[in-house]
Amino acid sequence: MKTSFLALSLIALTAGHAPAAELMVTNDLITPTSTIELRFAKPMVDLAKVGSIPDPPVLNTEPPLAGEFKWTSTRSGQFRLTQAPPLGTSLKFTTRAGLRDADGNEC
């Protein structure tokens, strides 16, 4: 499986700091079968939450995309589309405001 970085935006929540997360997409273009992976530098959830769907969602998209984010490890999760994304649209990805890591520190 080819993994490439796209010209998608992931905004760091704290100005002046390196991004706390890395966004990866499995294809050169986002399609209905794309997997969008978000990898954090630090553990974000306890092991018991791996496999769960967080509420509220961790990943926001602009424009909104139909799909769900699921934790795949303590430091990463995947967003899977449930509908085709709009054609010819630039997408912006951001982490949820107020997101905290497993130790309770704001990211």
Side-chain angles (χ1 to χ4, degrees):
M1 172 180 3
K2 179 181 172 189
T3 301
S4 62
F5 295 95
L6 296 181
L8 304 172
S9 299
L10 179 63
I11 296 178
L13 296 176
T14 53
H17 292 33
E22 178 180 31
L23 187 71
M24 303 187 71
V25 181
T26 56
N27 302 313
D28 288 333
L29 298 172
I30 294 179
T31 67
T33 60
S34 293
T35 299
I36 301 163
E37 184 170 359
L38 188 59
R39 295 180 185 171
F40 291 90
K42 298 168 70 173
M44 297 299 292
V45 295
D46 295 324
L47 189 57
K49 291 189 178 180
V50 172
S52 69
I53 299 168
D55 186 26
V58 171
L59 191 62
N60 298 320
T61 63
E62 209 175 291
L65 294 177
E68 68 180 14
F69 180 88
K70 184 184 289 188
W71 289 112
T72 55
S73 75
T74 59
R75 295 183 338 130
S76 64
Q78 291 183 342
F79 181 82
R80 293 187 187 254
L81 297 167
T82 55
Q83 291 180 343
L87 297 175
T89 302
S90 293
L91 300 170
K92 179 178 172 182
F93 292 84
T94 57
T95 53
R96 172 182 85 232
L99 184 64
R100 295 188 178 275
D101 66 19
D103 293 329
N105 301 311
E106 192 165 342
C107 298

